[in-house]
Amino acid sequence: MIVTIDGPAGAGKSSIAHQVAAQLAFEFLDTGALYRAATLAAIRAQIDLQDTERLSEFVATLKLSWQARTVHLDGEDVSELIRTPEVTASIRYLADVPAVRGQLSQIQRDIAEGRDIVTEGRDQGAEVFPHADCKIFLTASPVERAKRRMRQLADSGRYVSLEDVLSAQNQRDLEDRMRDVGRLRAAEDAVVVNTDGMLPEEVLQQIVSLVRSRI
Ligand code: C5P
């Protein structure tokens, strides 16, 4: 069974998708981590990020793997290294290239093959897994998402103003919504869950019940 959870940055997809997977004893896949790892590799190899052809040739040579919430790049665990602002700011160069998206989508399908899995990203229900059994589009208002992100950063000792978080988030939303291929959008048959004013526990239970009703 394939469950897709898509939505904008800061909607809480990762932690909800992970918890849904744990409750159902499904695998969990964070597809953003694959985009991040490919971006890290391109930065390290000093690939010209504007050279789309070179980028897709390069991504084809990468060995990306995902297991138990860790992403490996050519055998190295890069799960922490992919979370830097430098990587985040450069992802769009790869995420905007249709050939790169095709390669990363294929890796995602290979990982999901034959498994019960919850996959999380931007394009999972609409493009990568159009025949998924259950599709969820998780969202919240921009201010609510930015507040959550601000609290997350503060928990890790980084204090950033709401305005700064909001402006970086708006920029990312725009990039995610505007790309020609793989843009952020709810699949027509997705259930939209707006988490404004909901406790994480309530969101979790709503999604788990929905998935159970489709088993
Ligand atoms: O989910 P996360 O914030 O880690 O994703 C990082 C970026 O990777 C997103 O802003 C988006 O540009 C890109 N991405 C994508 N398609 C996905 C997952 C992530 O384009 N399925």
Side-chain angles (χ1 to χ4, degrees):
M1 181 174 192
I2 295 181
V3 177
T4 59
I5 302 188
D6 291 296
K13 295 184 305 289
S14 254
S15 79
I16 289 291
H18 180 244
Q19 291 173 60
V20 170
Q23 275 216 6
L24 296 165
F26 280 22
E27 304 277 342
F28 158 69
L29 172 62
D30 168 1
T31 61
L34 300 177
Y35 280 87
R36 289 173 176 279
T39 304
L40 173 69
I43 293 172
R44 279 179 170 176
Q46 301 186 327
I47 305 290
D48 175 0
L49 297 177
Q50 319 248 20
D51 184 344
T52 55
E53 213 165 300
R54 177 78 192 95
L55 268 181
S56 75
E57 278 169 16
F58 175 73
V59 171
T61 67
L62 295 177
K63 285 198 180 58
L64 284 175
S65 66
W66 169 265
Q67 224 161 19
R69 295 200 87 187
T70 57
V71 59
H72 285 84
L73 177 61
D74 297 327
E76 176 192 355
D77 180 353
V78 292
S79 310
E80 298 288 324
L81 294 171
I82 58 173
R83 305 279 161 201
T84 63
E86 188 195 7
V87 170
T88 305
S90 300
I91 297 173
R92 69 186 170 89
Y93 292 105
L94 282 84
D96 284 352
V97 181
V100 170
R101 297 201 71 86
Q103 288 158 340
L104 294 180
S105 299
Q106 191 52 50
I107 293 175
Q108 294 159 29
R109 293 188 190 107
D110 290 345
I111 293 171
E113 179 67 32
R115 294 195 160 127
D116 290 323
I117 194 164
V118 179
T119 77
E120 174 258 296
R122 303 291 188 287
D123 57 350
Q124 300 295 286
E127 302 208 16
V128 182
F129 298 106
H131 304 298
D133 307 271
C134 183
K135 301 180 184 179
I136 288 144
F137 191 82
L138 196 69
T139 189
S141 68
V143 171
E144 183 71 25
R145 291 190 280 127
K147 281 186 181 160
R148 286 185 202 151
R149 179 78 187 127
M150 203 174 71
R151 282 196 291 270
Q152 251 176 19
L153 289 169
D155 286 346
S156 60
R158 285 160 63 200
Y159 298 91
V160 188
S161 72
L162 183 61
E163 273 166 28
D164 286 352
V165 175
L166 202 50
S167 101
Q169 181 183 277
N170 286 342
Q171 177 60 32
R172 249 210 314 147
D173 281 358
L174 197 68
E175 287 165 5
D176 287 346
R177 290 204 164 95
M178 298 302 286
R179 65 177 51 104
D180 292 335
V181 179
R183 68 182 189 279
L184 169 68
R185 70 191 159 101
E188 276 174 25
D189 49 350
V191 175
V192 178
V193 178
N194 185 320
T195 65
D196 278 359
M198 282 174 85
L199 294 170
E201 185 54 28
E202 294 170 334
V203 180
L204 177 63
Q205 286 326 319
Q206 183 176 340
I207 296 177
V208 168
S209 306
L210 188 70
V211 177
R212 288 213 164 107
S213 73
R214 306 268 174 104
I215 290 177

